């Protein structure tokens, strides 16, 4: 049973906008929000006054002084005066959290057209401020000093994985994931890192690719980024620049916050969010043509292969070694370059993933374009497998 069959109405992505990701010193949080919101509204073929509600995904966590940005989208047009606007925060999944809140407004019937925005400004803040802000998303390390920050947390995940399943060639596998995503990022005009680094470089510790937190090297880590993305959600087509994209199903699951209450490598709530989304959409993995997943670190993408059911636990390496997740594989993963190469402006990431998927499904992805994809999944995660969101999108 699809979302449309379950709720008796469609949720359509009818327009979208996307900024470049990177160190955008000339941009402010406001200018980024206005840029992508303006693009999304125009792309949807509607007027600003047709927006019933706005949801803005932003993490912030002390990385910038302005902590109340919900009304910034109103700067697009005076016609947005008095529109309900809400900031949504769920760590690195803030963008997808905003997307699902917008979806639920449509399903509840309290809105017919919703503007969802994800945005973040990070690069202006010092490394210590960014590190402390991100650690605010961890129960055990929030407010504590750390030399490795969130990288250290995912390095511990990688170590647990190696102990349970054998270290073997884990470093090489993670290097191959990094190299794949860097190569894909070359074709993404929005990406922060557009350079094909090659497997040898990504697999090797060097002066240019130092170990950040053993076993994770610099190429295993997503960069600090600025950027924004926006999407218009509607219950019916709006006559936009492209055909709309349908939301076929969605899932959300949270795990316990303390690390002591979680299996460090199972990502159980992530698995549940996948199951919920696929069940609502009435499809299995075989029904997907590609997926954009949350590879904040390469070990996260490896674990995603297992959480989504592409491989059995402990066998995620097969997906990369046998070529399943490359552009020409049976389920391309992170054709955009993922967080690894595209960048990770925290609040923008989830919305960006939906926009990139919508571009693919409407044949407007340019150099990133796959051959005639019909259905995709988007997976976004906050914390170390804590807040988990999955969407299944399909062409109309």
């Amino acid at each position: 049973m699809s979302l449309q069959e379950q709720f008796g109405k469609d949720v359509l992505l009818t327009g979208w906008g996307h900024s470049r990701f990177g160190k955008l010193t000339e941009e402010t949080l406001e200018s980024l929000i206005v840029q992508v919101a303006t693009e999304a509204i125009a792309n949807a073929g509607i007027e600003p006054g047709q927006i019933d509600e706005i949801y803005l995904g932003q993490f912030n966590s002390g990385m910038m002084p302005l902590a109340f940005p919900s009304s910034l989208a109103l700067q697009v047009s005076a016609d947005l005066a008095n529109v309900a606007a809400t900031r949504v925060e769920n760590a690195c999944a803030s963008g997808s959290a905003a997307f699902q809140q917008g979806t639920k407004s449509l399903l509840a019937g309290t809105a017919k057209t919703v503007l969802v925005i994800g945005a973040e400004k990070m690069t202006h803040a010092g490394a210590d401020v960014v590190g402390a802000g991100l650690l605010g998303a961890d129960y055990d390390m929030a407010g504590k000093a750390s030399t490795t920050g969130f990288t250290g947390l995912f390095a511990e995940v990688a170590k647990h994985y190696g102990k349970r399943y054998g270290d073997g060639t884990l470093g090489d596998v993670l290097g191959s994931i990094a190299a794949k995503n860097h190569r894909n990022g070359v074709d993404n005009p929005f990406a922060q890192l557009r350079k094909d680094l090659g497997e040898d470089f990504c697999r090797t510790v060097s002066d240019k690719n130092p170990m950040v937190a053993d076993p994770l090297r610099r190429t295993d880590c997503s960069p600090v980024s600025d950027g924004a993305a926006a999407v218009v959600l509607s219950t019916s087509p709006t006559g936009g620049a492209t055909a709309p994209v349908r939301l076929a199903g969605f899932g959300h699951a949270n795990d316990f916050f303390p690390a002591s209450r979680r299996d460090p490598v199972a990502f159980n709530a992530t698995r549940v969010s996948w199951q919920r989304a696929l069940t609502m959409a009435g499809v299995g993995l075989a029904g997907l043509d590609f997926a954009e997943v949350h590879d904040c670190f390469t070990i996260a993408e490896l674990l995603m292969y297992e959480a989504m059911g592409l491989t059995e636990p402990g066998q995620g390496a097969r997906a990369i070694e046998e070529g399943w997740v490359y552009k020409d594989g049976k389920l391309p993963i992170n054709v955009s370059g993922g967080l690894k190469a595209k960048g990770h402006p925290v609040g923008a990431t989830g919305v960006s993933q939906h926009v990139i998927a919508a571009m693919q499904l409407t044949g407007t992805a340019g150099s990133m374009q796959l051959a005639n994809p019909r259905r995709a999944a988007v997976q976004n995660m906050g914390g170390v497998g804590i807040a988990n969101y999955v969407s299944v999108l399909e062409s109309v």
Side-chain angles (χ1 to χ4, degrees):
M1 179 180 290
S2 69
L3 179 150
Q4 198 280 336
E5 293 168 328
Q6 182 172 338
F7 293 98
K9 63 176 68 176
D10 265 329
V11 173
L12 301 175
L13 288 71
T14 55
W16 42 82
H18 202 297
S19 79
R20 184 168 58 88
F21 282 6
K23 187 174 183 178
L24 309 180
T25 55
E26 71 282 8
E27 301 286 357
T28 64
L29 182 66
E30 179 179 337
S31 68
L32 287 167
I33 288 172
V34 170
Q35 174 196 331
V36 297
T38 301
E39 289 176 6
I41 292 168
N43 184 249
I46 63 174
E47 297 298 324
Q50 293 176 259
I51 300 293
D52 299 314
E53 197 164 4
I54 298 169
Y55 287 99
L56 170 66
Q58 186 217 21
F59 180 46
N60 192 352
S61 191
M63 289 184 285
M64 67 177 303
L66 181 62
F68 183 43
S70 56
S71 280
L72 288 180
L74 274 58
Q75 302 294 83
V76 169
S77 170
D79 291 337
L80 288 173
N82 303 317
V83 170
T86 304
R87 175 195 171 208
V88 179
E89 186 279 310
N90 222 358
C92 298
S94 295
S96 285
F99 181 91
Q100 285 201 11
Q101 289 304 115
T103 294
K104 291 174 181 177
S105 286
L106 296 183
L107 295 178
T110 57
K112 292 183 179 179
T113 305
V114 174
L115 175 63
V116 178
I117 306 165
E120 208 77 62
K121 273 288 288 182
M122 303 172 70
T123 64
H124 64 283
D128 55 338
V129 174
V130 173
L134 295 176
L135 281 176
D138 186 76
Y139 179 87
D140 301 290
M141 289 301 298
K144 297 180 181 178
S146 171
T147 58
T148 56
F150 234 78
T151 307
L153 300 179
F154 274 88
E156 288 302 309
V157 171
K159 289 176 182 176
H160 281 292
Y161 189 91
K163 290 176 183 177
R164 184 171 303 181
Y165 300 116
D167 287 314
T169 58
L170 180 61
D172 285 350
V173 170
L174 298 183
S176 294
I177 291 172
K180 168 183 72 73
N181 292 349
H182 274 289
R183 174 62 191 88
N184 288 348
V186 172
D187 296 326
N188 185 351
F190 305 124
Q192 181 170 354
L193 305 174
R194 301 186 67 189
K195 186 174 183 181
D196 185 359
L197 298 178
E199 287 203 355
D200 287 344
F201 181 85
C202 292
R203 288 178 167 187
T204 305
V205 176
S206 64
D207 289 343
K208 293 186 177 180
N209 189 26
M211 191 71 75
V212 179
D214 189 28
L216 301 182
R217 299 147 296 207
R218 179 179 291 164
T219 50
D220 293 306
C221 311
S222 58
V224 173
S225 317
D226 306 326
V231 62
V232 173
L233 301 179
S234 307
T235 53
S236 59
T238 58
T242 68
V245 171
R246 177 181 290 114
L247 177 65
F250 62 90
H252 172 204
N254 269 50
D255 210 335
F256 294 106
F257 208 7
S260 60
R261 299 199 64 184
R262 304 192 312 271
D263 183 316
V265 300
F267 278 39
N268 287 318
T270 311
R271 186 181 304 273
V272 170
S273 66
W274 274 99
Q275 293 169 346
R276 288 175 176 168
L278 292 172
T279 297
M280 184 184 291
V283 300
L285 287 184
L288 301 179
D289 295 306
F290 69 95
E292 289 288 321
V293 308
H294 193 97
D295 62 320
C296 50
F297 301 93
T298 51
I299 183 63
E301 180 166 330
L302 180 68
L303 286 170
M304 213 49 56
Y305 302 158
E306 301 175 12
M308 69 196 296
L310 189 58
T311 76
E312 294 296 318
Q315 298 181 23
R318 288 188 62 199
I320 192 82
E321 292 171 349
E322 299 184 22
W324 301 350
V325 294
Y326 288 88
K327 277 188 176 181
D328 57 354
K330 66 179 185 179
L331 186 62
I333 301 287
N334 287 336
V335 174
S336 69
L339 287 60
K340 174 78 267 294
K342 183 179 60 176
H344 184 28
V346 177
T349 288
V351 182
S352 166
Q353 291 173 312
H354 285 85
V355 170
I356 294 294
M359 292 172 65
Q360 285 283 356
L361 292 170
T362 54
T364 58
S367 298
M368 295 184 284
Q369 188 65 52
L370 295 169
N372 301 314
R374 303 293 297 170
R375 189 178 291 116
V378 165
Q379 181 269 330
N380 188 201
M381 176 175 67
V384 185
I386 304 297
N388 303 272
Y389 296 82
V390 176
S391 298
V392 178
L393 307 178
E394 59 186 22
S395 54
V396 176

